[in-house]
Amino acid sequence: MKYKNELEPQDVTLVAVSKNHPAEAVLEAYGAGQRIFGENLVQEMCEKASVLPTDIEWHLIGHLQTNKVKYIAPFVKLIQSVDSLKLLIEINKQAAKNKRVIDCLLQVYIADEESKFGLGYDELIELLRSDDFKLLENIRITGLMGIATNQASEKQISAEFNELKVLFEGIKISFFKRESTFKEISMGMSADYKLALAEGSTMVRIGSDIFGKRVIKHWKMNTTNAS
């Protein structure tokens, strides 16, 4: 059964969320053909990127602090969790230092949970209208990301995803009408990706369904030799 907004499988990007799993598990998935991996923590991503194949596309999907951007700026493919203009400005700064343009998704707050991060709808519009945003030349906004309420009913989760889809369409018309690169709606994880696909997700972030239960490890950024 194909739902109202669901894309064909070849139109959906699978991000294998490898947080709290060892590099060996990532390499096994890589051997099976997976090339896009998502991490929540900067330190964990940096350590894995240093020992794994260089053609892996790394996505930062967790909350990102401005003082950690410099560590991933040389290699990160997509930062999915941008939730402030301040963070965008820092990403732009570090991207320029590395002579790169870094792709970003703007994370929107769609859940009924205070613990979730993201821009409110008014904050999103304000950011996109700001003069400071228009000056950023080393970042490229390629879409929106959202995380639904944890353990909510399917009806509520679908409604939250639908809100993000509708918002995406409005933002595209208002701010990115001429830009073909603004095309991603990253929503849906192991527990709710089918609902997300039904509402038009173009990118799903799947962890436990690929790697199984996580092995919890506390990562700490080593800044001894960092500049």
Side-chain angles (χ1 to χ4, degrees), residues 14-22 25-26 29 34 36-41 44 48 58-62 80 186 188-190 204-214:
L14 170 62
V15 181
V17 180
S18 49
K19 64 178 181 179
N20 295 323
H21 292 283
V26 177
Q34 180 66 21
I36 304 175
F37 294 88
E39 291 286 341
N40 273 46
L41 300 177
E44 190 173 355
K48 289 176 182 174
W58 293 102
H59 290 202
L60 196 286
I61 62 174
Q80 294 204 22
S186 177
M189 299 183 289
S190 291
V204 292
R205 310 177 302 274
I206 308 298
S208 58
D209 279 0
I210 295 175
F211 295 104
K213 189 176 180 180
R214 299 175 190 135

Side-chain angles (χ1 to χ4, degrees), residues 145-190:
M145 185 269 262
I147 302 174
T149 302
N150 187 35
Q151 297 182 337
S153 67
E154 290 191 358
K155 181 178 180 180
Q156 179 178 342
I157 292 171
S158 292
E160 290 170 356
F161 287 150
N162 180 259
E163 286 181 11
L164 187 61
K165 169 68 172 177
V166 172
L167 179 65
F168 169 86
E169 292 172 344
I171 293 296
K172 183 173 180 62
I173 291 172
S174 299
F175 296 97
F176 300 98
K177 190 173 183 178
R178 294 182 175 83
E179 299 180 30
S180 60
T181 53
F182 187 83
K183 61 183 181 180
E184 303 294 354
I185 311 174
S186 177
M187 56 186 188
M189 299 183 289
S190 291

Side-chain angles (χ1 to χ4, degrees), residues 69-82:
V69 175
K70 60 185 176 183
Y71 300 113
I72 62 173
F75 66 90
V76 68
K77 172 64 177 178
L78 176 64
I79 299 176
Q80 294 204 22
S81 49
V82 177

